[in-house]
Amino acid sequence: MRIIVVGGGVIGLLTALECSLAGAEVSVVDRGAIPNPEATSYDRHRVLRALHPGPAEAAAAIEAHHRWAEVESRLGSSVYHRVGALTVLGPGEPEASATTFAELPGARRLSARETAERYPQLRLPHGSRAVLERNGGVLIADRILAGTAELLAQRPGVRLLPRHRVTGVEAPFGLVRLADGTVLRGDAVVVAAGLWSRELLGPELSGGLTLYRQTQLMCAVPASTREVWQRTPAIPSFGTAEGAWLVPPVGDAPLKLSAAVACRPVERTGDRVAPREVQTRLVLHFTSLLNGFRAEWIERAEDSYYLADRETHGPVLGQLGDNNAWIYAACGGSSFKFAPLIARSLAGRALGTGPRVPTGLTAVDHPVPMPGELAVPEHPRASPAAEPQAAPNSADTAATSPHHSTTGVAP
């Protein structure tokens, strides 16, 4: 069986690996390098945690822990640092349900006093509580992508085609057309092109997707405190109205800081230079949350982009016509932690075996119908996203909830 995978991000690469391990011939094509440094999933680190609002999503996150351990074993390198995950509940924020909490392995509730004693480097909101997941941690994203691409390159029957722009997909015939005139033919097609899905979908079909731009601060902690910070758990929520979160410096990766308020809708991708006013807002906020934090810690401030469904603020999976062709059209900003589950589901659909077990992720388990043919205009330009709207916030999307994040690079 021949599978064509479009996209050199984490979803595309892990899907290709699943198909190859099942015995299929696989071609991976990307408009950039493989892995593509411009992909949404290309980053220094991402958070893995199990605490989520619904039991199905929490169960999916727990399963993702096991699947990431498998990925780490296949890569033969340390890409999953189990430093724990600390979710802070601000005053008035609800606790996890007893049912959900009971399903979290190695989790315990901490009072404000216990949290302060354990992590004196943190200055948390008065009256806050926290949940510590010992089994949470940090994924080294760029190493995962590079390692998976290297593993694919070594496997028989796998062909990597970097720097080839896709101009069309004809699902009924299993065709993928490239800008240089090349036509690839497969028994199944999986498109996981991230931000560039909009070009294939066109304005009419991509109108339900919103493009977001997120600013994050990459920091070098003082040498005298580095050991303390390396033992700090990932913090997907500080329990503040700003939706602040933190990824600790593990391995050679920096301390990363950002917040939901640093995420805003934009019409198109552009440079990755962080606006000064957004940087300043983040610095002021983290000065109030981290003891000893100074602007001098910042090595660089950078922006990233991601697509999300306008209504759910999550990912979108579409089936192209009635054919064995699929497009993972938007990541929703939180796909990375679920990537092994998503990839296994996509591979099962492409191989014809079907998803043996539902992932528990609604968008992945219930694809939406899309046209069987997609094409990029002859002279494509950066297609506009949906009309700008208010950035996600606690009032409409629970972006600052301790159990949920809608930001593209947030945990």
Side-chain angles (χ1 to χ4, degrees), residues 246-265:
L246 172 157
V247 187
V250 294
D252 61 353
L255 170 71
K256 180 163 70 173
L257 308 173
S258 193
V261 293
C263 173
R264 59 272 187 204

Side-chain angles (χ1 to χ4, degrees), residues 76 105 337 362 407:
K337 60 189 169 192
T362 301
T407 53

Side-chain angles (χ1 to χ4, degrees), residues 317-327 367-371:
L317 174 61
Q319 181 176 9
L320 303 183
D322 296 324
N323 309 286
N324 195 357
W326 312 87
I327 178 167
V368 297
M370 290 189 177

Side-chain angles (χ1 to χ4, degrees), residues 145-223:
L145 269 66
T148 305
E150 183 178 349
L151 187 57
L152 283 167
Q154 297 168 358
R155 291 192 58 79
V158 173
R159 183 169 54 150
L160 302 183
L161 299 170
R163 299 177 180 85
H164 285 76
R165 186 170 63 85
V166 172
T167 59
V169 177
E170 297 177 29
F173 311 105
L175 299 182
V176 173
R177 298 188 180 277
L178 307 183
D180 64 3
T182 301
V183 177
L184 306 178
R185 183 187 295 273
D187 299 299
V189 178
V190 176
V191 180
L195 300 174
W196 299 285
S197 298
R198 293 189 307 161
E199 286 189 5
L200 286 170
L201 291 172
E204 291 184 4
L205 294 176
S206 64
L209 304 179
T210 299
L211 179 67
Y212 288 101
R213 179 170 180 160
Q214 171 105 33
T215 297
Q216 53 231 324
L217 307 178
M218 302 297 187
C219 306
V221 299

Side-chain angles (χ1 to χ4, degrees), residues 305-351:
Y305 298 87
Y306 73 98
L307 283 176
D309 180 80
R310 179 191 296 180
E311 299 298 328
T312 68
H313 301 285
V316 174
L317 174 61
Q319 181 176 9
L320 303 183
D322 296 324
N323 309 286
N324 195 357
W326 312 87
I327 178 167
Y328 193 72
C331 71
S334 60
S335 290
F336 200 106
K337 60 189 169 192
F338 297 116
L341 304 185
I342 298 169
R344 182 164 295 185
S345 179
L346 289 174
R349 295 181 190 278
L351 294 166

Side-chain angles (χ1 to χ4, degrees), residues 60-406:
I62 293 170
E63 179 64 16
H65 281 261
H66 301 300
R67 299 289 77 82
W68 275 117
E70 287 183 359
V71 171
E72 185 175 50
S73 177
R74 286 173 182 164
L75 297 182
S77 62
S78 178
V79 296
Y80 179 13
H81 292 260
R82 296 160 177 80
V83 294
L86 183 74
T87 301
V88 181
L89 304 168
E93 289 190 83
E95 300 273 1
S97 69
T99 302
T100 300
F101 192 83
E103 296 297 322
L104 300 179
R108 61 167 299 189
R109 293 186 172 92
L110 301 178
S111 66
R113 179 177 178 180
E114 288 176 302
T115 305
E117 290 175 349
R118 280 174 174 260
Y119 309 110
Q121 68 272 38
L122 306 180
R123 191 185 299 148
L124 302 179
H126 179 72
S128 60
R129 303 92 66 218
V131 174
L132 175 63
E133 298 177 62
R134 293 190 181 88
N135 292 338
V138 178
L139 298 163
I140 307 302
D142 53 356
R143 289 184 187 172
I144 290 170
L145 269 66
T148 305
E150 183 178 349
L151 187 57
L152 283 167
Q154 297 168 358
R155 291 192 58 79
V158 173
R159 183 169 54 150
L160 302 183
L161 299 170
R163 299 177 180 85
H164 285 76
R165 186 170 63 85
V166 172
T167 59
V169 177
E170 297 177 29
F173 311 105
L175 299 182
V176 173
R177 298 188 180 277
L178 307 183
D180 64 3
T182 301
V183 177
L184 306 178
R185 183 187 295 273
D187 299 299
V189 178
V190 176
V191 180
L195 300 174
W196 299 285
S197 298
R198 293 189 307 161
E199 286 189 5
L200 286 170
L201 291 172
E204 291 184 4
L205 294 176
S206 64
L209 304 179
T210 299
L211 179 67
Y212 288 101
R213 179 170 180 160
Q214 171 105 33
T215 297
Q216 53 231 324
L217 307 178
M218 302 297 187
C219 306
V221 299
S224 59
T225 62
R226 183 164 183 83
E227 186 175 343
V228 171
W229 280 106
Q230 287 179 326
R231 295 197 305 267
T232 301
I235 305 177
S237 172
F238 273 88
T240 65
E242 288 79 2
W245 49 265
L246 172 157
V247 187
V250 294
D252 61 353
L255 170 71
K256 180 163 70 173
L257 308 173
S258 193
V261 293
C263 173
R264 59 272 187 204
V266 294
E267 293 188 359
R268 56 182 53 85
T269 58
D271 61 46
R272 293 178 181 267
V273 178
R276 177 62 61 183
E277 63 273 16
V278 181
Q279 292 185 53
T280 300
R281 186 172 184 179
L282 287 175
V283 168
L284 290 174
H285 190 49
F286 280 100
T287 298
S288 69
L289 293 174
L290 306 178
N291 285 317
F293 176 73
R294 298 172 59 85
E296 288 77 8
W297 288 18
I298 301 171
E299 291 186 322
R300 66 186 186 280
E302 60 188 28
D303 280 7
S304 60
Y305 298 87
Y306 73 98
L307 283 176
D309 180 80
R310 179 191 296 180
E311 299 298 328
T312 68
H313 301 285
V316 174
L317 174 61
Q319 181 176 9
L320 303 183
D322 296 324
N323 309 286
N324 195 357
W326 312 87
I327 178 167
Y328 193 72
C331 71
S334 60
S335 290
F336 200 106
K337 60 189 169 192
F338 297 116
L341 304 185
I342 298 169
R344 182 164 295 185
S345 179
L346 289 174
R349 295 181 190 278
L351 294 166
T353 59
R356 291 183 293 274
V357 179
T359 64
L361 307 172
T362 301
V364 178
D365 294 336
H366 302 283
V368 297
M370 290 189 177
E373 295 188 13
L374 305 177
V376 174
E378 185 176 351
H379 301 291
R381 296 185 297 176
S383 56
E387 287 300 312
Q389 60 189 52
N393 57 55
S394 57
D396 54 15
T397 70
T400 59
S401 162
H403 316 309
H404 184 85
S405 176
T406 60

